[in-house]
């Protein structure tokens, strides 16, 4: 596989080869991000395949995926690097009887061997021969302090460790940042990225995704499931089912040896589609109670 | 080809300005990057051109949704060689005048422009001053006992106590308690040859929660004026992070006056700058203004929003419901103080209150400073559990 995007069409094709069905808009953004060496900032409802973009990018470039899952309280010692203090302490103890000078010991305990590399440092170190893909997942969960710190790293991929010196990435990693919009991410970060909003897939796209992801599924069944999901998404649920729910559900149905949707099996597996009790209740009462709408959901 | 590109570059820059006028956040660097992007793609496909512009110039979902329309608008117009940024203020003013209609639901375009123009006080007030419901006569807002401010201050402090401290997951150096700070212990032990004589600790950092107060000063709240003003002015003593707004038919920030002026001056300025004191009420629209104009800056998981209103609303109820939902999603906690709620027979029957109720974390009565104290006690009891 080529490690170099030459045209947008090529990106579309390669994405399809890696079984990621993307529209041309996303392919264009990926292409531009690669050519301009800019991070990609992805937003969208949960379960539309944001994280998957990072994974598929690493497959396309045949390179490593380094993932940084954000959470509140994430700080530089868990994202960047940390000294292995217990190991350092032990080493000092062992050296006590020895005749080594203190400076020498210091040099040893502050060598890279005693460094715990966290994702960001890893991404920079691994870029020696091949730029890795750095996936910063759910940035909206981290706090503002971390965002500000991330800015610094993303702008020049350079980290200074006082005891060792400055480490700079040879090649800029491909960075994919995702967010679920639980809070607004600061402009300064967005400004440095290419923005893309991933929408719920259209019927054709969702059908294609099922066919590609779950080989062995009957085309008629896939269509029926897709139609059901597309319809379910038109209702204003607390959490609309995403494409990942579609895949989970279809997989569950296939495991149950089903190849056709009927009224009972939908009720039995409702937990795969809706993740809130309120939604399940609403679905049962407002949609499933009515014979006619039930029919509409189940047509094939 | 180069000539053509230069022409295109100019157009792209003008397009960025065009978007900026419509409330988009456009950065110098994004315009620069847009131009760099255009070097990379072939310009024959309009869709690719569109996507390149969009990925660089849109930064939120709201902008993303509007982008296609604005793109079409501009690039079709550019071909007709018109000046893009002239004729947009007029229709917006027209819109504001219409917005008292019951089913008024402002569309995103207008919101963004209102938010962007908020700093432009004069224009903003002009829009506000036109209101058939607003009364011409201004009530004497200084009609209360000055000593009440101190009483209010105490009550507010009490009330905010349970919300005051927000334990961060980040830590700072602590005195003899909390977790052991290993990096520091090691660093300090170096001078004793690696033997840690002294222990250091880390504690979770505590920070103040941020407070946003929105007080209703419409006609129906006049009865409680003796309480509202000291309540607002009492905020000058509560931490540094309180932001104060008053609303009737629209929203006015008065934080500056409350915080930085002495009482008499503040009252004078507030009377001058709040154009429709004792006017009608549009809670929904005022909240909308708050969410759009100040939400991004003020609302996060550290914000406690306090609404002081009796819930009588003349605006559309869908708007109120939507904005309350937004508020409750963004803020840490929403407290609604309702002067009427103290009455045991009171039921939130009026339309506004009813649609807002599901989004309120604490619905509490407050019609005087005494009841405010009670609220304080009540809240601390709730929060301990």
């Amino acid at each position: 596989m080529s490690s170099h995007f030459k045209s947008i069409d090529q990106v579309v094709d390669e994405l399809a080869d890696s079984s990621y069905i993307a529209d041309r808009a996303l392919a264009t953004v990926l292409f531009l991000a690669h050519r301009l060496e800019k991070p990609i900032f992805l937003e969208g409802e949960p379960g539309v395949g944001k994280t998957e973009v990072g994974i598929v990018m690493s497959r396309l470039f045949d390179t490593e995926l380094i993932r940084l899952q954000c959470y509140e309280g994430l700080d530089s010692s868990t994202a960047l690097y940390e000294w292995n203090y217990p190991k350092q302490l032990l080493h000092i103890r062992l050296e006590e009887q020895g005749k080594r000078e203190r400076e020498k010991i210091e040099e040893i305990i502050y060598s890279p061997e005693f460094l715990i590399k966290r994702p960001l440092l890893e991404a920079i170190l691994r870029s020696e021969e091949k730029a890795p893909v750095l996936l910063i997942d759910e940035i909206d969960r981290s706090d503002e302090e971390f965002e500000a710190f991330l800015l610094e790293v993303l702008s020049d991929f350079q980290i200074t460790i006082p005891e060792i010196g400055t480490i700079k990435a040879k090649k800029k990693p491909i960075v994919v940042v995702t967010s679920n919009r639980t809070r607004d991410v600061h402009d300064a970060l967005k400004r440095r990225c290419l923005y893309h909003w991933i929408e719920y897939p259209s019927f054709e796209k969702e059908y294609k995704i099922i066919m590609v992801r779950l080989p062995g599924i009957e085309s008629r069944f896939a269509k029926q499931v897709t139609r059901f999901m597309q319809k379910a998404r038109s209702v204003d649920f607390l959490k609309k089912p995403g494409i990942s729910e579609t895949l989970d559900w279809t997989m569950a149905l296939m495991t149950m040896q089903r190849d056709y949707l009927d009224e009972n099996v939908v009720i039995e597996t409702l937990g795969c589609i809706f993740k809130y009790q309120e939604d399940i209740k609403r679905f049962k009462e407002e949609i499933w109670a009515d014979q006619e709408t039930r029919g509409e959901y189940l047509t094939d | 080809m180069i000539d053509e590109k230069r022409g295109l570059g100019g157009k792209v820059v003008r397009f960025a300005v065009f978007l900026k006028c419509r409330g988009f956040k456009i950065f110098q660097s994004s315009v620069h990057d847009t131009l760099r992007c255009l070097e990379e793609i072939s310009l024959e496909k309009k869709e690719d051109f569109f996507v390149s512009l969009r990925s660089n110039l849109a930064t939120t979902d709201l902008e993303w949704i509007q982008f296609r329309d604005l793109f079409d608008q501009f690039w079709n117009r550019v071909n007709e060689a018109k000046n893009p940024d002239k004729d947009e203020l007029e229709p917006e003013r027209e819109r504001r005048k219409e917005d008292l209609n019951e089913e008024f639901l402002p569309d995103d375009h207008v919101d963004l422009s209102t938010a962007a123009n908020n700093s432009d006080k004069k224009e903003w007030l002009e829009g506000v001053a036109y209101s058939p419901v607003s009364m011409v006569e201004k009530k004497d807002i200084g009609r209360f006992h000055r000593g009440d401010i101190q009483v209010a201050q105490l009550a507010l402090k009490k009330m905010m106590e349970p919300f005051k401290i927000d334990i961060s997951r980040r830590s700072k150096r602590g005195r003899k308690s909390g977790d052991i700070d290993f990096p520091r212990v090691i660093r300090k032990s170096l001078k004793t040859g690696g033997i840690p004589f002294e222990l250091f600790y880390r504690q979770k950092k505590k920070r103040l929660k941020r407070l946003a107060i929105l007080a209703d000063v419409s006609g129906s709240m006049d009865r409680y004026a003796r309480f509202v003003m000291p309540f607002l002015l009492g905020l000058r003593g509560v931490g540094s992070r309180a932001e104060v707004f008053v609303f009737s038919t629209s929203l006015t920030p008065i934080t500056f006056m409350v915080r930085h002026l002495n009482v008499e001056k503040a009252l004078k300025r507030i009377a001058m700058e709040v154009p429709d004191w004792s006017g009608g009420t549009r809670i929904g629209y005022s909240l909308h203004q708050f969410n759009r104009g100040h939400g991004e800056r003020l609302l996060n998981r550290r914000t406690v929003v306090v609404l002081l209103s009796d819930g009588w609303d003349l605006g559309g109820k869908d708007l109120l419901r939507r904005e309350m939902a937004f508020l409750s999603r963004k803020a840490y906690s929403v407290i609604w103080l309702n002067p009427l709620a103290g009455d045991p027979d009171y039921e939130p029957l009026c339309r506004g209150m009813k649609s807002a109720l599901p989004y309120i974390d604490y619905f509490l009565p407050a019609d005087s400073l005494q009841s405010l104290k009670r609220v304080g006690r009540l809240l601390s009891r709730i929060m301990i559990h």
Side-chain angles (χ1 to χ4, degrees), chain B residues 22 77 82-91:
Chain B
R22 273 146 189 84
R77 207 146 60 150
K82 258 205 214 162
N83 189 358
D85 24 346
K86 252 189 177 168
D87 45 3
E88 72 225 25
L89 284 173
E90 270 323 300

Side-chain angles (χ1 to χ4, degrees), chain A residues 8 24-25 35-36 38 72 74 85 89 92 143 146 181 184 187 190-191 194-197 199, chain B residues 25 27 29 33 36-37 40 48 51 55-56 58-61 64 169-170 183 186 194 296 301 330:
Chain A
I8 299 168
R24 196 179 164 84
R35 295 305 281 263
L36 269 67
K38 278 187 92 172
E72 199 186 337
L74 178 68
Y85 300 110
L89 258 180
I92 294 168
D143 37 27
F146 177 72
R181 261 188 333 146
D184 286 303
D187 293 333
K190 284 184 167 177
R191 184 159 64 86
L194 290 175
Y195 180 83
H196 189 81
W197 172 265
E199 275 156 74
Chain B
K25 278 193 190 130
F27 309 96
S29 67
D33 282 336
R36 271 173 65 209
C37 278
E40 299 289 340
D48 290 353
V51 170
S55 62
N56 279 295
T59 50
T60 63
D61 53 328
W64 180 268
R169 290 192 51 187
R170 283 167 183 273
I186 298 294
E296 206 161 304
R301 279 171 291 178
K330 285 270 181 174

Side-chain angles (χ1 to χ4, degrees), chain A residues 33-253:
Chain A
H34 169 66
R35 295 305 281 263
L36 269 67
E37 297 187 325
K38 278 187 92 172
I40 308 161
F41 189 90
L42 294 173
E43 276 191 326
E45 301 297 333
V48 289
K50 296 186 292 291
T51 308
E52 204 65 21
V53 171
I55 296 169
V56 82
M57 282 297 268
S58 75
R59 224 179 300 146
L60 282 190
F61 285 89
D62 192 20
T63 176
E64 246 172 306
L65 174 73
I66 295 165
R67 180 169 176 169
L68 175 65
Q69 172 69 50
C70 296
Y71 55 86
E72 199 186 337
L74 178 68
D75 58 4
S76 56
S77 67
T78 30
L80 201 54
Y81 73 89
E82 194 174 16
W83 289 106
N84 193 342
Y85 300 110
K87 196 172 169 188
Q88 281 177 329
L89 258 180
L90 275 175
H91 196 87
I92 294 168
R93 276 262 170 235
L94 289 174
E95 289 285 347
E96 256 169 13
Q97 266 69 48
K99 297 191 172 50
R100 252 194 259 248
E101 286 167 37
R102 198 194 295 172
E103 282 79 22
K104 192 76 193 154
I105 299 173
E106 245 174 71
E107 206 175 286
I108 293 170
I109 63 169
Y110 284 114
S111 61
E113 205 188 315
F114 288 82
L115 201 62
I116 303 173
K117 298 173 198 84
R118 306 288 192 198
L120 289 177
L121 179 61
E122 193 87 355
I124 288 174
L125 289 175
R126 293 283 176 82
S127 65
E128 290 288 301
E129 64 267 23
K130 214 169 201 183
V133 172
L134 175 63
L135 172 64
I136 301 171
D137 216 0
E138 303 188 328
I139 178 96
D140 50 333
R141 288 207 198 179
S142 67
D143 37 27
E144 287 94 349
E145 289 97 329
F146 177 72
E147 226 175 86
F149 158 79
L150 194 62
L151 272 183
E152 194 188 327
V153 177
L154 287 186
S155 57
D156 41 28
F157 287 103
Q158 168 177 311
I159 288 172
T160 304
I161 302 172
E163 295 86 352
I164 292 179
T166 302
I167 305 169
K168 195 171 165 59
K170 287 249 169 61
K171 285 177 188 144
K172 272 194 179 179
I174 303 154
V175 183
V176 179
V177 185
T178 77
S179 155
N180 278 330
R181 261 188 333 146
T182 53
R183 69 173 175 86
D184 286 303
V185 174
H186 198 271
D187 293 333
L189 184 63
K190 284 184 167 177
R191 184 159 64 86
R192 285 167 172 80
C193 306
L194 290 175
Y195 180 83
H196 189 81
W197 172 265
I198 302 186
E199 275 156 74
Y200 285 123
S202 62
F203 178 84
E204 288 75 27
K205 194 175 158 194
E206 191 164 19
Y207 169 70
K208 262 194 221 163
I209 294 172
I210 297 181
M211 292 307 278
V212 166
R213 281 311 198 74
L214 303 169
I217 189 172
E218 265 180 61
S219 130
R220 197 183 62 137
F221 184 42
K223 270 190 188 142
Q224 199 189 9
V225 169
T226 312
R227 202 163 289 125
F228 182 98
M229 292 309 263
Q230 293 277 337
K231 241 185 138 44
R233 247 171 244 144
S234 64
V235 184
D236 189 24
F237 287 114
L238 282 180
K239 154 107 186 53
K240 293 184 186 178
I243 185 74
S244 68
E245 271 81 19
T246 312
L247 292 173
D248 278 354
W249 188 40
T250 319
M251 201 117 73
L253 292 171

